[in-house]
Amino acid sequence: MESSYETVVIGGGVVGNSIAYHLSERYQEGILVLDKKYPMTGTSGSTQAWVWVHNKTPSWYAEFSMYSAELYPYLSKKIGDVEYKRTGGLSPFFAEKDREKAKQLADSYRKIGIKIKVLSREEVLEKEPSINPNVAGATYSSIDGNVNPFRLIDMYMRAAKKNGVQYSTYNKVTSIEKQNGTFMVTSDKKTYVCKNLILAGGTWSRELGNLLGIDIPVNQLRGQIIVTEPLKPFLNYTISGLRQAINGEVLIGYSMEKAGFDRSTTLDVIQETANMAVHYVPSLRKAKIVRAFSGIRAMPEDGFPILGKVPGHENLYVAATHSGVTLSPLIGTLLTELILDGETSVPIDRYSLSRFA
Amino acid sequence: MDKTTIICRCEEINCEEIEEAIGHDARTFDDIKRLTRCGMGPCQAKICISLVADVIHEQTGSHLHEIPLPRMRMPISPIKLETLATNSTTFSSVKSVMDEVELEEGKVR
Ligand SMILES: Cc1cc2nc3c(=O)[nH]c(=O)nc-3n(C[C@H](O)[C@H](O)[C@H](O)COP(=O)(O)OP(=O)(O)OC[C@H]3O[C@@H](n4cnc5c(N)ncnc54)[C@H](O)[C@@H]3O)c2cc1C
Ligand code: FES
């Protein structure tokens, strides 16, 4: 393997892989992806993988997510079947007081082109007969869906490799230096020289920034998921809280805890998650849980993606975010435009690291 | 091992598929699991884990004790949701997406 590259991407999760793949559509030589372990060992391998838009707030962030969701059908045409399904997304509520909030959401998002319906109890049950009949209503949008995260990353990688991207895994970056306009990236295996450097280290972004003396304010937020045995298809929609995968398994969970980098599965959260499951879909009581997993979200300090150029460092870029599965097609597209054309088709100034300065 | 030998009975994954994953630089049981689903079946890898270790050893030459084992997690054997549930509907770590929608002066931010 050479040691000189045009562009090095640190981090082979869904974000780093999308950037590498989209770059490789424009130029085929000199792209290297480095990962301290293996793609999917990070957060991208322990995710719900909803492609979710409709109740993200504020509206500009929902709009950004919508652009990404809209790229999915085209992406799957290009890289192959990633089991993307635009099922539509359903967010049930059980208290009547939430209806007003739901209506506000639907009203203000109509203006930006995200169609949200506020469903009555009867309409929810008609759409999704398995939902708890005590439901008060739900918001619904056809833009939401889900994807198989493993297939997604595998396909990004295969397509990128086909376009000439090189990968070096089990190869941790330990120091980065800037010399005469190039970066010297030292890893466990070797030192690489490159012109462009992209930091896509997910929840480890703060550490990566430290190697360059840059503050990337990303914190850790744990999420735990439980998985049922394969059940016959019975859920029609991606419900905010659970979804049924193509093979029939139901992935359940929407928890958030500050636990640093600890990826344990804990009984208290698993029980709460089970409670949510039977509260939303009572027939799940009898379903068996075969598996549980836990992942650490990258949570930027203000909750929004950190994307784009690193101020004051020429040819240095960062992409660190939660909801990286939803956003990966757009992030890959826009970072490629930024690197090759110097500007992006959708503005990303709002997401600049400079906002924390 | 024959290429068509079934390694993971639950997910019907054969030796060739495991070898292909290793060809893509997968090195641990979990890497292979995420690429192929081998080990994600009802038995949760109890049957296939040692066979996969054999293939890794055959393909990469790494010794069996050097191949990291997957983390054991709850539940060790399948358990009904109703057994886990406590029927409470107050949540602390588990969130609701609707609760996250923030209104400012009655309007969505
Ligand atoms: C429980 C849970 C549920 C979620 N649900 C959803 C959802 O429904 N929809 C959605 O869109 N998002 C969801 N997310 C978030 C989403 O999974 C993440 O935003 C996304 O996977 C982040 O991808 P990434 O590439 O940034 O990070 P990662 O996948 O973590 O990739 C970063 C990579 O960088 C590598 N790395 C770090 N430091 C170094 C170094 N020094 N040298 C070399 N390599 C390094 C790591 O090994 C890692 O592979 C969820 C997350 C969790 C935990
Ligand atoms: S044999 Fe592989 S999971 Fe059961």
Side-chain angles (χ1 to χ4, degrees), chain A residues 12-14 16-22 24-25 38-40 44 72-84 147-165 167 328-329, chain B residues 20 24 34-36:
Chain A
V14 71
N17 264 300
S18 173
I19 296 171
Y21 161 70
H22 283 93
S24 76
E25 287 188 302
Y38 194 73
M40 302 183 250
S44 305
Y72 258 100
Y74 180 44
L75 178 74
S76 8
K77 284 243 153 50
K78 290 192 294 182
I79 66 176
D81 184 10
V82 295
E83 296 180 8
Y84 169 67
V147 66
N148 179 335
F150 306 117
R151 296 278 301 186
L152 177 63
I153 292 182
D154 193 18
M155 288 312 207
Y156 270 139
M157 278 204 290
R158 283 171 193 260
K161 282 181 186 169
K162 217 166 131 196
N163 288 348
V165 175
Y167 284 78
S328 79
Chain B
E20 199 208 345
H24 281 281
R34 295 184 183 113
L35 281 172
T36 65

Side-chain angles (χ1 to χ4, degrees), chain A residues 38 170 254 265 275 285 289, chain B residues 24 31 73 79 86-87 100:
Chain A
Y38 194 73
Y170 290 104
Y254 193 62
T265 297
N275 286 338
R285 291 191 152 280
I289 295 303
Chain B
H24 281 281
D31 296 345
R73 288 188 187 269
I79 175 172
T86 60
N87 295 324
E100 290 181 330

Side-chain angles (χ1 to χ4, degrees), chain A residues 113-138:
Chain A
I114 300 173
K115 287 193 202 117
I116 300 175
K117 272 194 203 152
V118 182
L119 306 181
S120 66
R121 172 180 175 275
E122 290 69 29
E123 287 169 322
V124 180
L125 292 170
E126 194 179 314
K127 271 192 166 350
E128 196 68 284
S130 307
I131 291 258
N132 185 344
N134 294 328
V135 72

Side-chain angles (χ1 to χ4, degrees), chain A residues 11 13-15 35-36 43-44 47-50 173 295 321 323-326:
Chain A
V14 71
V15 170
D35 202 290
K36 65 176 172 176
T43 313
S44 305
T47 173
Q48 270 276 20
W50 310 333
V173 173
T321 186
S323 302
V325 177
T326 302

Side-chain angles (χ1 to χ4, degrees), chain B residues 31-71:
Chain B
D31 296 345
I32 292 171
K33 175 173 86 179
R34 295 184 183 113
L35 281 172
T36 65
R37 289 200 55 84
C38 168
M40 285 196 191
C43 88
Q44 289 302 297
K46 287 197 188 72
I47 302 177
C48 51
I49 190 164
S50 59
L51 284 170
V52 171
D54 288 344
V55 183
I56 298 176
H57 168 67
E58 232 173 62
Q59 295 289 310
T60 67
S62 51
H63 287 285
L64 293 180
H65 64 263
E66 295 167 352
I67 303 170
L69 287 173
R71 184 203 279 262

Side-chain angles (χ1 to χ4, degrees), chain B residues 57-101:
Chain B
H57 168 67
E58 232 173 62
Q59 295 289 310
T60 67
S62 51
H63 287 285
L64 293 180
H65 64 263
E66 295 167 352
I67 303 170
L69 287 173
R71 184 203 279 262
M72 290 308 270
R73 288 188 187 269
M74 276 187 284
I76 303 301
S77 57
I79 175 172
K80 279 204 184 122
L81 259 169
E82 63 184 356
T83 317
L84 276 173
T86 60
N87 295 324
S88 157
T89 49
T90 44
F91 299 102
S92 62
S93 298
V94 171
K95 308 288 178 203
S96 133
V97 169
M98 278 304 285
D99 287 347
E100 290 181 330
V101 174

